Amino acid sequence: MESKYDFVRQLRRQLTPQERRLWYLLRDRRFAHFKFRRQHPVGPYILDFVCCHVHLAIELDGGQHDERAGYDARRTAWLRLQGWRVLRFWNNELMENEEAVLVRILEALVSSAPSPRPSP
């Protein structure tokens, strides 16, 4: 029987072209110096991309998600109850307007980031 972590490793090797592009932009603290992870398990779910520091999840949805709207809504509701903020983008949204997607991600990161501690 395959473990959840074996499945995560498999997903990381089989990124869609859109996931591959977004991962290129987010990885290695390239994006506003925030650390992201891909195909990261949270509870019973595996999230496309997360910034654990600010509890931000980013999901890229393809056409199959039209048929899974109820599942996605339950998943998002569960994540929100756990303190996660969830951003969802369509694959074609990323490919057609990458800059707008990145602006929305940056806004979510900045609004979720803890304020720096004042010096004593």
Side-chain angles (χ1 to χ4, degrees):
M1 181 174 202
E2 185 177 51
S3 77
K4 180 191 265 188
Y5 295 100
D6 290 333
F7 185 58
V8 165
R9 279 192 284 280
Q10 179 183 349
L11 288 174
R12 287 179 184 153
R13 286 190 301 269
Q14 298 174 345
L15 296 176
T16 66
Q18 295 83 3
E19 289 171 333
R20 198 173 308 284
R21 176 64 184 157
L22 188 55
W23 180 235
Y24 172 79
L25 296 167
L26 298 177
R27 69 184 289 187
D28 296 329
R29 297 182 190 265
R30 286 181 185 155
F31 192 71
H33 302 289
F34 283 92
K35 179 171 178 51
F36 281 88
R37 297 176 182 187
R38 65 187 164 137
Q39 303 302 325
H40 184 72
V42 175
Y45 302 110
I46 299 170
L47 307 179
D48 290 342
F49 304 96
V50 299
C51 179
C52 293
H53 179 68
V54 296
H55 276 75
L56 176 67
I58 302 168
E59 293 289 300
L60 279 179
D61 296 336
Q64 78 279 8
H65 285 269
D66 263 349
E67 302 161 7
R68 298 174 23 164
Y71 170 80
D72 287 342
R74 287 187 301 279
R75 175 183 162 127
T76 297
W78 185 89
L79 288 165
R80 285 185 178 146
L81 285 172
Q82 307 308 309
W84 288 85
R85 182 170 181 184
V86 180
L87 294 180
R88 287 189 168 279
F89 300 100
W90 291 104
N91 284 339
N92 64 337
E93 190 177 358
L94 175 68
M95 300 314 283
E96 293 170 9
N97 199 349
E98 181 178 285
E99 187 175 331
V101 169
L102 294 176
V103 166
R104 283 189 49 208
I105 294 170
L106 183 60
E107 289 170 350
L109 287 166
V110 170
S111 69
S112 301
S115 46
R117 293 179 61 193
S119 342

